[in-house]
Amino acid sequence: MTDAQGSHGPDSGAASRSLAARGPRVNALVVGAIGVVFGDIGTSPIYTMQTVFNPGDPHPVPVSPESVFGVVSLVFWSVMIIVTVTYVLLAMRADNQGEGGIMALITLLRRSAAEGGRAAPALAALGIFGAALFFGDSMITPAISVLSAVEGLKIVEPSLTGVVVPITAVIIVVLFLLQRRGTGAVGRLFGPVMIVWFVTIAVCGVAGIARHPDILRALSPTYALDFLAGHFGVAFFALAAIVLAVTGAEALYADMGHFGRRSITRAWLALVFPACVLSYLGQGALILRDPTNVGAPFFRLVPDWGRLPLVVLATAATVIASQAVITGAYSVASQAAELGYLPRLRVTHTSESTIGQIYVPWINWLLMVSVLTLVFAFRSSAALAYAFGMAVTATITITTLMFFYISHWRWRVPPWLLALGAAPLLVVDLLFVAANTTKLIHGAWLPLLIGLTAFTTMTTWQRGRQLVAAERQRREGSLRDFVDELRNNPRDVRRVAGTAVFLNPRAQTAPLAMRANVEHNHVRHEHVLILSILTEPVPRIAADQHIVVDDLGYADDGIVHVTARFGYMEAPNVPEVLRRVDPAAAEGRMRLDEASYFLSKVELRPGHLPTMALWRKRLFIATSYLTADAAEHFGLPRNRTVIMGSHIEV
């Protein structure tokens, strides 16, 4: 751990030109969103219906006209209620300066807690568990998506069964190797492919519907309600597979910072939602016509000659499906790190024009290894389907709870009105959660285990940081007292020429490196800047609000404190920040091209005080090794950076 880790109108002609310039960019973002955001939810038609009617399921759904109409109706209304209503129309309005996802909701809840919201801390903790579950979703989605598409080879040629897993593994490795090129580049590449995909599945769905138009009656909610009421024992267990139709909803929300709410909403309502619905209706019509098609209704919607091209297109689409949760995982991990729930990770910003587009190497390689492990362990999409739903339903339920609390706190929505809206949505969410608990012994334990592991790591890191911060504050002592002592009792401390910049996480305490310089080396620089970088719970800070300078009580001693404020989605560059400081406020001209930068590096050791259980202390120390290099993170020049060490027991 190192210092400064962040605590946590124009005329009508001009307007027309502005709109004209904005139009192509909005369209590009829509195409990019189609390529990145909707891959997961847009490929769910490949495996949802065949999973619902899987004869090997522990609780099989019989193939009958009543169940087909009921299942298709449940799929349609689940997507309508959870994705369109909960996420697109409601949750995406609860953004934190443009950023979405569960971490943005946690940030809003923390702000509510600071203002006296009583339920906010508990909901924020629940939100951290939801974020942890999202990491499990990010591991399972690429595995099940790519496997389900490549398994189409078995429909084309049964003898190819043995190559499904190896081909899947190769595709996944290539996908993760491409991530460093950035979300924007990937979106431009994937967007046109996904447009072709959605048009294709819509056309295939229409062809299926044309053979059995009666399936359109399933759009009526009465079929879903009748199926639940009249065949509850069957319908309840079917919900555990029907939930596959809404996977990707949280990724859609988490990726809002990459493409914006408007672009995502347009793409969903104009293309993605209609295409998926047509595909589900077409598959239902195909099963009604011939129940033997339940094994692979998606691929059987096309004639024999079109199945191999469809497998190739489906494979490309499922690779893109994986992209949605991968980019979502980057966003969640980056926000969690900046808010103090994970160590500071190396984050690469991959776009000069779109701030939210990032690449997080450590998360990328962790996901790759995890996804490959799942592919080789489960070896089929059917086996993975049992594990998939639990993470999705739990995260959706948590997001719904958090959204309605924020609606009351942020927009002052009356409780009675909230209850009218929240009750039906939560009933739907909880039905899905309950149905997925029946799959615990069949694989639903996996995302819970991954989520619990990530939750434990995140809360342990947060607690450990608090302990280290308290101990550092005790050791560092008051900064103003230290400056007073330097002025009033200079002792044998000698001034040397040059500018020294000491990075320190707090504005009130003296940097350990500066204390060591004075007490052991008996020197101080002629010009001293003590820099504290604060990460605020907002995505970005306005440029004119970045910097605050404090002379620490004396305007002529050459020692000043600079507070630099950043949003959690910004990359702090220290030399660039210091160039914005007014020399008059900094007590003279700073020689930044020659300045020396000092970091205090803290080595952690497990102590004897009962601050945390021993295993949590060891977990905290182990997690600290993931912390990104401070000099690189803050953009410090290597040849002028000095690291001074000390150790702290936790």
Side-chain angles (χ1 to χ4, degrees), residues 136-157:
D137 185 17
S138 303
M139 297 173 186
I140 298 173
T141 293
I144 190 173
S145 298
V146 180
L147 265 174
S148 66
V150 179
E151 283 171 349
L153 290 173
K154 296 189 293 186
I155 306 299
V156 176
E157 179 52 64

Side-chain angles (χ1 to χ4, degrees), residues 146 150 165-177 315-316 318-319:
V146 180
V150 179
V165 171
I167 291 176
T168 300
V170 171
I171 292 171
I172 286 169
V173 170
V174 173
L175 170 66
F176 281 100
L177 291 176
T315 302
T318 52
V319 167

Side-chain angles (χ1 to χ4, degrees), residues 29 33 36-38 87-102 104-105 108 134 183 248-265 324 327-328 331-332 335 354-357 410 539-540 568-569:
L29 285 174
V36 174
V37 175
F38 297 106
Y87 278 91
V88 175
L89 298 182
L90 295 179
M92 288 178 65
R93 296 181 181 276
D95 68 288
N96 186 24
Q97 294 193 8
E99 294 297 327
I102 201 163
L105 292 180
L108 295 174
F134 183 73
T183 305
E250 182 62 31
L252 175 153
Y253 187 25
D255 280 331
M256 188 169 71
H258 292 246
F259 299 99
R261 178 170 69 91
R262 181 177 298 180
S263 299
I264 293 174
T265 302
T327 54
S331 295
V332 170
Q335 294 176 45
T354 305
I355 296 175
Q357 296 183 7
R410 193 179 191 184
R540 286 167 286 279
Y568 59 76
M569 295 299 289

